[in-house]
Amino acid sequence: MSEAALGLLLAAAILLGSVASAGDEPKLAITIGKALPRCGQPVSVGVRYTGPAPSSPMTVALSNDGTSLAEVQCVAQEDGSLWGGTNWTPGQDGFQRLVAVAGDLRAERTVPVVQRDMHFVWWGIGPDLKYITATTPAPTTPEGMQYCRDNGIQVLAWKGATSKTMEALAADWADPGDADGIAIDELGAYEHVPEQEAQMAIACEALGKAKAANPESFLAVWNAGSLTVQRANAYRDHADLVMLECYLNFARNAFGATDFQEYLDQRLKMACRMDLLRKCVIGLGITEHLGGITPGELRTEIEHIRLTAPDSPGLAWFTYGADETV
């Protein structure tokens, strides 16, 4: 499976799902430590059992396309479920089928395996989407958090950038709480506004301090407006992911552009010039405001991004409008 094809799939096939309540019925589910595992790199896979307590210790046979992976021993967890896991190194990219069997119980899961790290970021709770790799803000319920953990979805705590001192920002950004990392919303400034420019200088320094204090925490930045050299250098050195806000993709004349593609190229070429594209995902708006954007136009934009910027690791989405919810 090509990266471009998978990128289109992840962006276009936003499939709504639901989490079935286990109730008193015994149920197996396959868990994974990374939503989109990479070919040739180990990833944790496991089995979660919910339902009545089994009469004997539970052993589950886990396999991939008919090849045995492990006999997994499931043990009690704090939430009352049983869980056990092992490591799996996918041997090829594309869709891989995992199967878990324990007596009469059976679970199956299709896992998209990629050639390099890709990101599909959404704002909201994990169960609403099938292919997301990160969600923000953090789910507020134990069930929501557990769903994200079982599906390899990184939980990113929302962070602002309005503290007046560098020390305060760095301390806030270094503490994700129960989440896996942070997403800093709307870093950006007009260079001709002295107050904003001063705040961005503080923020860029705070990024480095926060990452050094907690290097394992995933650090995502949502960048509003154009990249400056100062911001690009800070993002390149300290951020794990940068989302370039292109929410006006429904407007043909946004920022002086004459069509949708020219507007996107402004952001893509900017990231290329700053040697930052490999960390940048484009954030597209979905709206009915001012006539909105049609599904066909949106698919054309996605194709344009994947074809002209293959080094970009994914996509993000923003739903908005005047009074409507899209």
Side-chain angles (χ1 to χ4, degrees):
M1 175 183 294
S2 70
E3 293 169 3
L6 184 57
L8 289 173
L9 172 66
L10 298 182
I14 306 176
L15 303 180
L16 297 179
S18 62
V19 179
S21 174
D24 293 329
E25 294 296 324
K27 181 181 177 182
L28 283 183
I30 297 173
T31 72
I32 194 158
K34 188 175 183 180
L36 299 177
R38 285 182 61 176
C39 177
Q41 290 193 355
V43 63
S44 65
V45 294
V47 181
R48 187 174 301 281
Y49 167 83
T50 54
S55 57
S56 60
M58 175 169 282
T59 301
V60 181
L62 191 61
S63 62
N64 168 223
D65 288 335
T67 301
S68 176
L69 294 180
E71 295 288 324
V72 176
Q73 303 294 319
C74 294
V75 298
Q77 306 296 304
E78 290 184 0
D79 63 356
S81 67
L82 303 181
W83 184 88
T86 187
N87 283 332
W88 169 50
T89 302
Q92 61 184 31
D93 61 335
F95 288 104
Q96 303 293 310
R97 192 71 169 170
L98 298 178
V99 177
V101 177
D104 295 333
L105 297 176
R106 179 184 176 92
E108 297 186 7
R109 179 176 189 141
T110 299
V111 178
V113 177
V114 297
Q115 297 174 7
R116 59 185 176 88
D117 285 332
M118 299 186 70
H119 303 275
F120 182 22
V121 186
W122 194 262
W123 175 282
I125 188 67
D128 293 337
L129 294 162
K130 187 174 181 180
Y131 290 115
I132 60 171
T133 63
T135 181
T136 183
T140 57
T141 65
E143 293 80 12
M145 189 68 79
Q146 188 63 67
Y147 176 89
C148 291
R149 296 285 183 263
D150 282 355
N151 288 277
I153 299 168
Q154 288 189 302
V155 179
L156 304 180
W158 182 94
K159 296 289 184 177
T162 57
S163 297
K164 294 183 179 180
T165 68
M166 185 278 294
E167 292 79 9
L169 274 182
D172 183 37
W173 294 348
D175 180 17
D178 294 332
D180 305 301
I182 64 172
I184 305 172
D185 197 17
E186 292 205 354
L187 278 185
Y190 290 100
E191 290 185 277
H192 62 276
V193 181
E195 298 81 6
Q196 293 181 354
E197 194 171 6
Q199 181 63 32
M200 273 309 306
I202 291 172
C204 288
E205 185 178 358
L207 281 176
K209 298 287 186 181
K211 191 63 174 178
N214 193 352
E216 298 303 317
S217 176
F218 193 87
L219 198 161
V221 174
W222 298 166
N223 185 81
S226 298
L227 289 168
T228 63
V229 172
Q230 180 189 51
R231 263 181 276 168
N233 287 340
Y235 298 165
R236 192 184 309 108
D237 292 341
H238 309 303
D240 297 293
L241 186 67
V242 179
M243 192 268 280
L244 301 177
E245 296 183 359
C246 292
Y247 302 156
L248 295 180
N249 57 302
F250 68 93
R252 291 167 177 80
N253 62 345
F255 293 97
T258 57
D259 56 37
F260 299 128
Q261 283 68 40
E262 184 181 354
Y263 171 64
L264 294 174
D265 283 343
Q266 290 175 352
R267 295 295 183 268
L268 296 171
K269 291 177 181 178
M270 174 180 62
C272 284
R273 287 195 302 269
M274 298 292 189
D275 191 26
L276 196 61
L277 184 61
R278 285 169 292 180
K279 286 188 175 183
C280 289
V281 300
I282 296 294
L284 295 175
I286 306 173
T287 184
E288 294 177 356
H289 189 48
L290 296 179
I293 185 167
T294 69
E297 289 169 336
L298 195 59
R299 283 193 293 270
T300 298
E301 291 183 358
I302 295 166
E303 290 171 353
H304 183 75
I305 292 168
R306 299 308 297 157
L307 290 173
T308 61
D311 286 342
S312 173
L315 290 160
W317 299 93
F318 180 66
T319 59
Y320 69 105
D323 297 322
E324 73 275 10
T325 299
V326 182

